[in-house]
Amino acid sequence: MRRRKRIEELFFKILTGLACYSLILVLGYIILIIFKKGINMLTLDMIITAPTGGYYYGGEGGVLNAIMGSLYIAIGATVIAMIFGVPAALFINSHLQHKPRMQGFIRYLLDALWGIPSIVYGAFGFMVMIMMGMSASLLAGIITVAFLITPIVIRTFDEVLCTIPRGLHEAALSLGSTRTQLAFKVLWKQGFSGFITAVLLAFGRGIGDAASVLFTAGYTDLVPQYLDEPAATLPLAIFFQLGSPIPEVRNRAYAAGIILTVIVLIISVSARLMSRKFSKTNLN
Amino acid sequence: MKQDNAIEIHNLNVCVDDQRILKNINLQIPSHKITVLLGPSGCGKTTLLRSLNRLTDLYKELKVTGQIFIDGEDILKPRNDIYEIRQKMGLLSQKPYPLPLSIYKNVTYGIKLKGVKDKKLLDYNVEKRLQEVGLWDEVKDRLHSSPDTLSIGQQQRLCLARGLAVKPRLILADEPTSALDPHSSKTIEDLFKKLKDQYTIVVVTHILRQAKRLADHAVFMHFGEVIEQGSPDEMFSNPQSPELKKYLIDGN
Ligand SMILES: Nc1ncnc2c1ncn2[C@@H]1O[C@H](COP(=O)(O)OP(=O)(O)O)[C@@H](O)[C@H]1O
Ligand SMILES: [Mg+2]
């Protein structure tokens, strides 16, 4: 009997361990391939210059246009998503706290929105853009990506807020808080790490998404200066360069992939550090 | 309303769907005394306490009917200054729930809601309230750090200080020592005895010994009903109802 238990234990340990480590292996392999193919092309020029005339045939230049376009779009969209998402998540957890059905319905809706493929958001954004008489531009891209990531901000923040114990709600209310004061003075602080996670996740999704900006942001070799100008993005830069018959240009796609990955990594690591720091010292 | 009752409860009923959690509660809670609500788990003590400051509002499924008079007004009447009413009572729950703010700001939270901004007044209050609960000497050097660093017992006293800061008339405590070690429990009990000169205190407990130690007025509840009430000496030495008799035997 004991022998059987030991064998059983060992079997499942190997099985679960295999699942876990193979995942890490695959991830490592992906990153390795991207770096292997792209690292030689990753020069300083690649990062700090925009494409020149012959760039797509292997000529001089870089992807500064796409780096800046992607950053502008992701930052703009994340800011919009925060402006709508933070109050929405707080509302769900304060004013709707005693209406569990409504809460459930809204959460279900947001989950559905989260699950909609980004190409659908792209098509929707495109339609709105046409209706408003706009052309593909930084602004249209920002708005479309904001649609895509707002449900992510709300639900991610909400997931943390709804783990806040009822007792803390009761404590704040019994001291005389209104529900709004509960939301902005207590839940906000208590759920701050959730807010950071939400922003980070949304930003990562926003900067890496190609389909939503495909029709709405356009593409250009210039770094955008105004909201109504078209903007290049890293995912599309990768897409266009990968389609080139010239091997050198294809490798540049991997270099752009490295840049995108590193940006997301920097954002995520610094946000984690910030979240840790804030949850300790954010006592004002 | 008689002057010496802080709370008068008339025909209070609380229902969920067709289940009655509180059945026709009629109760007077005397001023400046410790009233202990005693009874087995699930008999409705917490629900009764929640009704007193309308935290029942948080639970849509609870239907509350009847009247609860505090300072001559029926707090169950739908009205929008429930926030003011809640500031008449400090709440202490089973577990301490410090706000995610510094120790200092935990104490000033309720006062600031009242509109007090004067730094000197706030400082004064923080010191006074923390001294009242015997925490001042322990925390005066780390007022601006997080309450997470305090022990559970200290946190519970901080929660008491925070409640006292809004100058309540009443203290409502729901099994306030159930998460605490014996020493901290005793500290809280001693505090209640000291504070009853200035406050009316309602303590919920299922611990018979604690009820005996604390009560000036004891209320025994069973399945949502008040079965017996009176002075603890009389009640516990000479129980009338079979429920209380059984509880006293099981509890000793
Ligand atoms: N929000 C609620 N919904 C449904 N049932 C509840 C709710 N609150 C309390 N009850 C029920 O009411 C009874 C009394 O609960 P409670 O007041 O917490 O008892 P006590 O504090 O004496 O242990 C329990 O049976 C509990 O299940
Ligand atoms: Mg209880």
Side-chain angles (χ1 to χ4, degrees):
Chain A
M1 206 53 214
R2 278 182 68 182
R3 203 186 134 90
R4 225 192 97 183
K5 259 195 186 149
R6 266 226 305 280
I7 292 174
E8 211 176 78
E9 177 77 357
L10 190 70
F11 177 72
F12 280 105
K13 187 181 154 191
I14 290 174
L15 202 72
T16 48
L18 213 65
C20 178
Y21 289 122
S22 60
L23 210 71
I24 295 175
L25 219 67
V26 169
L27 185 70
Y29 187 65
I30 292 173
I31 292 180
L32 189 76
I33 291 294
I34 294 172
F35 269 82
K36 214 177 127 198
K37 292 212 168 195
I39 200 77
N40 288 330
M41 286 298 152
L42 189 63
T43 56
L44 191 62
D45 266 3
M46 185 81 186
I47 301 170
I48 60 165
T49 58
T52 59
Y55 178 75
Y56 296 100
Y57 305 100
E60 298 277 293
V63 289
L64 183 68
N65 60 330
I67 295 174
M68 293 317 289
S70 269
L71 283 176
Y72 287 157
I73 288 180
I75 291 170
T78 305
V79 168
I80 294 177
M82 267 160 50
I83 290 171
F84 287 94
V86 168
L90 288 172
F91 180 79
I92 294 171
N93 287 281
S94 55
H95 289 265
L96 291 184
Q97 188 65 340
H98 58 301
K99 295 177 184 161
R101 277 225 202 109
M102 192 62 190
Q103 270 184 330
F105 175 67
I106 291 178
R107 285 185 177 135
Y108 174 79
L109 263 180
L110 289 166
D111 287 343
L113 284 175
W114 188 331
I116 291 177
S118 59
I119 188 74
V120 177
Y121 280 103
F124 173 74
F126 183 68
M127 190 191 73
V128 171
M129 191 179 87
I130 301 289
M131 260 167 38
M132 290 171 60
M134 284 170 20
S135 54
S137 60
L138 192 56
L139 183 64
I142 288 176
I143 292 173
T144 310
V145 175
F147 272 111
L148 174 75
I149 64 177
T150 300
I152 299 178
V153 169
I154 301 178
R155 279 297 277 137
T156 311
F157 191 26
D158 173 50
E159 279 298 310
V160 170
L161 290 177
C162 71
T163 62
I164 294 175
R166 265 274 171 66
L168 191 63
H169 289 233
E170 294 187 355
L173 290 174
S174 70
L175 288 168
S177 318
T178 61
R179 285 182 196 275
T180 309
Q181 287 163 335
L182 165 71
F184 285 94
K185 287 178 189 280
V186 177
L187 300 184
W188 163 248
K189 290 251 166 66
Q190 186 80 7
F192 194 77
S193 65
F195 164 73
I196 297 286
T197 316
V199 167
L200 141 82
L201 210 64
F203 185 90
R205 180 80 200 274
I207 202 167
D209 194 73
S212 56
V213 289
L214 187 58
F215 313 116
T216 52
Y219 201 85
T220 169
D221 283 351
L222 303 172
V223 175
Q225 308 277 338
Y226 298 100
L227 282 172
D228 59 351
E229 291 175 5
T233 47
L234 278 168
L236 292 186
I238 296 171
F239 174 70
F240 289 139
Q241 295 179 92
L242 265 185
S244 164
I246 305 165
E248 206 186 8
V249 176
R250 282 208 302 275
N251 281 346
R252 279 179 174 169
Y254 288 99
I258 296 176
I259 295 171
L260 185 55
T261 310
V262 168
I263 290 176
V264 172
L265 277 180
I266 290 173
I267 296 289
S268 94
V269 169
S270 57
R272 286 257 174 253
L273 291 177
M274 237 166 65
S275 150
R276 205 175 303 161
K277 186 164 172 264
F278 268 93
S279 56
K280 274 191 196 139
T281 58
N282 186 21
L283 295 166
N284 308 301
Chain B
M1 180 168 151
K2 273 187 290 170
Q3 203 53 47
D4 53 356
N5 283 336
I7 307 176
E8 299 208 356
I9 304 172
H10 297 295
N11 297 324
L12 179 70
N13 281 285
V14 178
C15 305
V16 181
D17 300 324
D18 50 356
Q19 181 204 352
R20 283 169 81 195
I21 299 177
L22 291 180
K23 299 166 192 161
N24 250 345
I25 306 282
N26 283 288
L27 199 61
Q28 273 100 45
I29 293 181
S31 298
H32 300 289
K33 297 226 161 87
I34 300 179
T35 299
V36 170
L37 303 179
L38 179 71
S41 277
C43 70
K45 305 180 299 291
T46 298
T47 308
L48 178 56
L49 209 66
R50 277 204 186 109
S51 311
L52 295 181
N53 65 356
R54 289 245 318 252
L55 282 178
T56 41
D57 288 8
L58 284 174
Y59 304 83
K60 191 82 179 224
E61 64 276 16
L62 299 178
K63 298 267 175 305
V64 184
T65 56
Q67 294 167 309
I68 298 176
F69 288 100
I70 294 176
D71 287 339
E73 62 175 331
D74 179 8
I75 63 148
L76 291 185
K77 278 212 187 104
R79 44 182 297 160
N80 40 21
D81 54 352
I82 181 65
Y83 312 108
E84 245 170 66
I85 292 175
R86 287 194 184 129
Q87 289 207 323
K88 289 185 183 172
M89 18 203 154
L91 179 76
L92 215 50
S93 47
Q94 294 187 13
K95 255 179 65 186
Y97 287 104
L99 302 170
L101 307 166
S102 67
I103 294 172
Y104 182 95
K105 293 204 165 159
N106 259 275
V107 183
T108 58
Y109 182 86
I111 320 174
K112 278 192 177 162
L113 291 182
K114 283 184 165 179
V116 176
K117 289 206 186 76
D118 182 43
K119 177 92 171 67
K120 275 207 191 104
L121 194 55
L122 293 175
D123 284 349
Y124 168 78
N125 262 287
V126 169
E127 178 166 353
K128 182 146 186 282
R129 299 308 158 199
L130 288 174
Q131 253 160 7
E132 243 176 335
V133 300
L135 202 58
W136 176 251
D137 290 329
E138 291 158 58
V139 302
K140 64 170 184 266
D141 299 323
R142 44 173 168 161
L143 287 176
H144 297 284
S145 56
S146 157
D148 296 346
T149 58
L150 301 178
S151 74
I152 299 289
Q154 289 173 321
Q155 287 184 17
Q156 191 67 306
R157 278 185 284 152
L158 176 65
C159 291
L160 183 59
R162 164 182 87 181
L164 296 181
V166 296
K167 295 208 170 70
R169 219 80 54 75
L170 286 146
I171 298 169
L172 309 176
D174 188 358
E175 303 190 12
T177 62
S178 61
L180 306 188
D181 61 275
H183 180 73
S184 307
S185 302
K186 181 157 188 319
T187 313
I188 295 277
E189 285 182 17
D190 291 344
L191 273 172
F192 284 162
K193 287 182 196 154
K194 197 181 85 187
L195 290 170
K196 73 179 176 187
D197 292 340
Q198 301 163 58
Y199 305 92
T200 301
I201 303 177
V202 183
V203 182
V204 163
T205 186
H206 62 263
I207 309 163
L208 188 56
R209 288 166 199 281
Q210 189 171 49
K212 284 179 178 167
R213 283 194 299 266
L214 282 177
D216 297 312
H217 183 74
V219 177
F220 177 69
M221 294 178 66
H222 195 78
F223 279 113
E225 280 177 291
V226 172
I227 305 284
E228 267 187 64
Q229 56 171 311
S231 91
D233 294 341
E234 237 169 79
M235 228 173 96
F236 296 136
S237 56
N238 187 16
Q240 303 294 314
S241 58
E243 291 93 342
L244 182 54
K245 276 178 191 156
K246 184 163 186 313
Y247 193 78
L248 291 179
I249 291 166
D250 294 348
N252 272 328

